[in-house]
């Protein structure tokens, strides 16, 4: 890891469509072409039917808070300016889970089950990543 | 079906001094600990005919063959389960010995993190965590404290577990470290000290987190039969097992975030050993974070899921309690030796060599390992 810059995601052949979606502000998930199981993070094989055939769906971007942590210590210098920041795990409507930041305005209401919506704002290095906001 | 019950014994243990910054390389620390363990067993290095090195980036078995001039290494393997590797390696050694492949297996570990990469950096170089590196690291989920914290928070929200429950674990283990001359932490702490320690990754405070330290630890495993005539009081491995959680490489995607791999292994280990929870006199439980101790106690069935907080609250994990735990000071207050120090300590306790932290009359004990985002391993051992 570079000392000065935040690490950036490196897409793989399996995940390129996910990151293409992020660039367009869309949450895209893998769906098994054979049995329909939606999975995340992107991976080669369907755990239910073992097919490698996959299609990409646009997820709703909605979900509920599953858990969280608030970072008070920067384990990498590039994140110091962000402290404190909240990372949330989200049960997506489609089934799988996602991890993202929680926007500042939503933090006071934080609880398990809180409804959230994803967006993909660019961070201070111009990298787009998932950010969740409480739905009103 | 053949069982490994009672087939193997830990016949040698060795440790270096644990330090914040060792002048020795990880390999040199491994060599020092190995020589100590082999000597403890009453063996010569050339008697070693099996090696399972701990740490996938560490020295290979060949390095020990070279340095010890081992004439006929018949067995080598790797057990890449992070902090559960030591116990998984013990099980692997017992299986190999029982199958007649070899006689004396050396399990060496060494660590020099002060001159190398620290925890946050190491994870992202490991191929099994490529998803964490791709999806989570860029968002600032970097170190184990941050990756494990949502497990603890989920438990707290579901079951009412509190930071003071975590504090009891940290305080009790610190008390034990004060009895151990080879422990890094030398000052007692109180529940209030824990509550006042700075927040690292909510809900984890500084005193919920294990140490970063340098050192070496090693074991020699032999057949229980041979162990009868070897130098030390015999410590037999009654049961062992490893377990991998659902979604082993991504905690985020784990359906039940409060269930670790050890939940799958524990029933098998108790059954193999033929003992019950009430038979356990002493426990050495992997403690990279306080919460991980609490979660393993539940996963092993010492209490129901969700009851870990009240279970530990009465001080039963302290010396004199009903389940004295981490009598050496653990990763929290002795040193981070990948859980190898936990295995060494259990053997000491069962030999009656526990010094000021000796549990009176300890005959049966258990040791756990945890690593790589949730892998678990467990062994039950007995004296005699
Ligand atoms: Zn399928």
């Amino acid at each position: 890891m570079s000392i000065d810059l935040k690490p950036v995601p490196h897409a793989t052949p399996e995940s390129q469509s996910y990151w293409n979606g992020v660039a367009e502000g869309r949450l895209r998930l893998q769906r098994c072409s054979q049995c329909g199981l939606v999975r995340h993070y992107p991976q080669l094989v369907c755990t239910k039917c073992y097919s490698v055939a996959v299609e990409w769906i646009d997820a709703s971007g909605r979900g509920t808070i599953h858990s969280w942590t608030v970072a008070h210590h920067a384990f990498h210098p590039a994140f110091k300016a962000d402290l404190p920041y909240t990372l949330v795990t989200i049960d997506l409507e489609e089934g799988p889970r996602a991890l993202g930041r929680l926007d500042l305005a939503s933090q006071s209401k934080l609880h398990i089950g809180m409804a959230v919506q994803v967006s993909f704002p660019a961070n201070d290095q111009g990298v787009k990543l998932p950010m969740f906001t409480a739905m009103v | 079906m053949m069982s490994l019950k009672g087939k193997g014994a830990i016949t040698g243990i060795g440790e270096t001094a644990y330090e914040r910054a060792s002048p020795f390389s990880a390999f040199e620390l491994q060599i020092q600990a190995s020589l100590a363990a082999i000597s403890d067993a009453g063996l010569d290095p050339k008697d070693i005919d099996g090696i399972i090195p701990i740490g996938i980036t560490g020295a290979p078995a060949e390095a020990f063959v070279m340095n010890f001039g081992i004439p006929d290494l018949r067995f080598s393997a790797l057990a890449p389960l992070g902090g559960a590797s030591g116990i998984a390696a013990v099980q692997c050694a017992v299986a190999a010995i029982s199958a007649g492949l070899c006689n004396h297996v050396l399990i060496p570990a060494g660590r020099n993190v002060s001159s190398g990469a620290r925890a946050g950096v190491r994870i992202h170089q490991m191929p099994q965590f490529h998803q964490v590196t791709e999806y989570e690291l860029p968002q600032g989920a970097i170190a184990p404290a941050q990756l494990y914290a949502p497990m603890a928070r989920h438990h707290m929200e579901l079951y009412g577990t509190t930071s003071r429950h975590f504090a009891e674990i940290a305080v009790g283990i610190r008390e034990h470290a004060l009895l151990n001359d080879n422990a890094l932490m030398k000052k007692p702490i109180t529940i209030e000290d824990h509550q006042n320690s700075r927040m690292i990754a909510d809900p984890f405070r500084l005193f919920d987190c294990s140490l970063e330290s340098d050192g070496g630890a090693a074991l020699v495993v032999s057949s229980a039969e041979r162990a009868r005539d070897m130098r030390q009081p015999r410590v037999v491995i009654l049961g062992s097992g490893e377990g991998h959680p659902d979604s082993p490489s991504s905690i985020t995607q784990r359906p039940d975030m409060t269930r670790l791999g050890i939940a799958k292994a524990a029933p098998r280990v108790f059954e193999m050993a033929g003992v019950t929870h009430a038979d356990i006199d002493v426990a050495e439980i992997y403690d990279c974070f306080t919460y991980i101790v609490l979660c393993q106690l539940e996963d092993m069935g010492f209490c129901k899921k969700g009851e870990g907080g009240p279970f530990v609250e009465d001080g039963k994990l302290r010396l004199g309690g009903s389940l004295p735990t981490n009598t050496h000071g653990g990763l929290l207050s002795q040193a981070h030796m990948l859980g190898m120090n936990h295995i060494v300590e259990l053997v000491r306790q069962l030999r009656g060599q526990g010094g000021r932290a000796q549990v009176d009359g300890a005959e049966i004990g258990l040791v756990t390992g945890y690593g790589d985002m949730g892998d678990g391993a467990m062994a039950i051992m007995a004296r005699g």
Side-chain angles (χ1 to χ4, degrees):
Chain A
M1 288 194 287
S2 154
I3 295 299
D4 304 306
L5 293 176
K6 288 176 180 168
V8 297
H10 293 284
T12 65
E14 279 159 31
S15 66
Q16 190 62 56
S17 292
Y18 170 81
W19 291 111
N20 291 347
V22 168
E24 299 164 8
R26 295 149 71 200
L27 175 60
R28 307 191 76 204
L29 300 176
Q30 283 182 317
R31 183 167 66 194
C32 174
S33 302
Q34 188 162 298
C35 77
L37 185 72
V38 177
R39 61 184 193 249
H40 194 53
Y41 299 126
Q43 65 174 27
L44 186 62
V45 178
C46 172
T47 53
K48 195 172 160 196
C49 76
Y50 321 121
S51 169
V52 296
V54 70
E55 57 205 20
W56 288 85
I57 60 164
D58 276 344
S60 69
R62 289 189 296 271
T64 56
I65 296 279
H66 161 273
S67 193
W68 66 88
T69 180
V70 186
H72 291 272
H73 177 87
F75 287 90
H76 183 296
F79 290 91
K80 240 179 197 154
D82 294 3
L83 294 176
Y85 58 90
T86 303
L87 295 160
V88 287
T89 50
I90 302 298
D91 285 320
L92 297 171
E93 273 186 353
E94 291 79 7
R97 220 173 268 144
L99 180 135
R101 291 278 188 99
L102 186 71
D103 85 309
L104 266 171
S106 307
Q107 299 196 357
S108 60
K109 302 170 239 174
L110 190 53
H111 62 272
I112 287 186
M114 182 175 89
V116 291
Q117 172 75 46
V118 75
S119 62
F120 297 95
N123 69 9
D124 52 359
Q125 287 172 210
V127 177
K128 290 185 177 179
L129 293 165
M131 168 84 73
F132 291 89
T133 306
M135 289 170 76
V136 286
Chain B
M1 195 181 80
M2 189 188 95
S3 163
L4 295 181
K5 177 180 179 175
K7 294 276 169 61
I10 301 209
T11 51
I13 53 174
E15 279 177 310
T16 67
Y18 294 126
E19 297 180 272
R20 288 287 191 180
S22 172
F24 302 111
S25 71
F27 181 61
E28 195 163 356
L29 291 163
Q30 262 181 311
I31 292 290
Q32 290 174 11
S34 296
L35 289 170
I38 293 164
S39 160
D40 180 72
L43 297 174
D44 182 273
K46 291 182 174 53
D47 296 325
I48 297 297
D49 58 2
I51 298 179
I52 308 175
I54 299 300
I56 51 173
T57 57
E62 284 85 345
F64 296 87
V65 175
M66 294 288 290
N67 282 278
F68 292 158
I70 293 171
D72 186 12
L73 188 79
R74 306 185 202 185
F75 178 76
S76 66
L78 287 176
L81 285 80
S85 300
I87 297 169
V90 167
Q91 171 171 259
C92 184
V94 175
I97 291 164
S98 302
L101 301 181
C102 53
N103 295 316
H104 301 292
V105 177
L106 174 68
I107 302 174
R111 217 166 180 248
N112 186 321
V113 290
S114 60
S115 66
R118 301 188 87 80
V121 179
R122 289 194 302 270
I123 289 173
H124 304 288
Q125 296 165 341
M126 297 160 86
Q128 67 268 43
F129 300 129
H130 69 92
Q131 291 184 328
V132 172
T133 302
E134 180 172 355
Y135 302 101
E136 304 186 354
L137 171 66
Q139 311 199 56
I142 297 162
Q146 296 166 327
L147 296 165
Y148 300 172
M151 300 195 280
R153 172 54 61 189
H154 193 69
H155 196 281
M156 294 166 89
E157 297 297 311
L158 282 190
Y159 302 117
T161 311
T162 68
S163 175
R164 295 184 81 88
H165 293 140
F166 301 158
E168 168 57 29
I169 294 169
V171 170
I173 292 174
R174 177 64 62 88
E175 266 185 13
H176 301 163
L178 302 181
L179 304 172
N180 184 346
D181 293 336
N182 194 18
L184 289 173
M185 304 313 277
K186 303 289 186 195
K187 282 192 225 157
I189 55 170
T190 64
I191 302 280
E192 294 315 315
D193 291 335
H194 172 279
Q195 294 294 289
N196 293 328
S197 67
R198 78 189 163 91
M199 195 64 90
I200 301 295
D202 180 272
F204 293 145
R205 297 179 175 278
L206 182 65
F207 288 173
D208 290 306
C209 305
S210 51
L211 307 170
E212 284 271 22
S213 52
D214 297 344
L219 310 167
V220 177
V221 179
S222 315
S223 77
E225 204 45 52
R226 275 179 198 276
R228 284 184 197 286
D229 305 319
M230 290 173 68
R231 177 174 287 170
Q232 298 290 344
R234 195 170 76 142
V235 174
V236 174
I237 300 147
L238 294 182
S240 59
E242 72 178 62
H244 299 259
D246 298 338
S247 185
S249 299
S250 165
I251 293 167
T252 298
Q253 300 301 335
R254 191 166 300 155
D256 181 355
M257 216 183 255
T258 69
R259 198 175 134 89
L260 303 170
I262 198 168
K264 301 181 186 182
R268 297 196 285 264
V269 179
F270 275 108
E271 192 189 348
M272 186 194 295
V275 306
T276 68
H277 296 78
D279 296 324
I280 303 298
D281 299 316
V282 56
E284 314 298 349
I285 299 178
Y286 198 86
D287 55 341
C288 49
F289 295 92
T290 50
Y291 164 76
I292 297 295
V293 175
L294 185 150
C295 188
Q296 289 175 93
L297 286 165
E298 296 174 348
D299 284 342
M300 287 189 286
F302 281 94
C303 58
K304 289 196 185 118
K305 183 53 68 184
E307 293 178 357
F311 180 80
V312 303
E313 198 168 30
D314 67 0
K316 68 168 62 66
L317 303 190
R318 301 195 192 195
L319 274 167
S322 59
L323 189 65
T325 293
N326 294 0
T327 42
H328 55 328
L331 307 181
L332 287 167
S333 286
Q334 186 198 20
H336 199 314
M337 197 51 241
L338 296 162
M340 288 289 285
N341 48 332
H342 293 55
I343 306 173
V344 166
E345 173 68 8
L346 179 60
V347 172
R348 283 209 180 104
Q349 287 282 338
L350 296 174
R351 286 178 179 177
Q353 299 170 352
R356 288 182 287 160
Q358 179 65 47
V359 173
D360 285 340
E363 291 187 357
I364 297 175
L366 72 76
V367 56
T368 78
Y370 163 94
D372 279 12
M373 308 286 168
D375 293 347
M378 178 181 164
I380 294 175
M381 303 186 199
R383 72 190 298 173

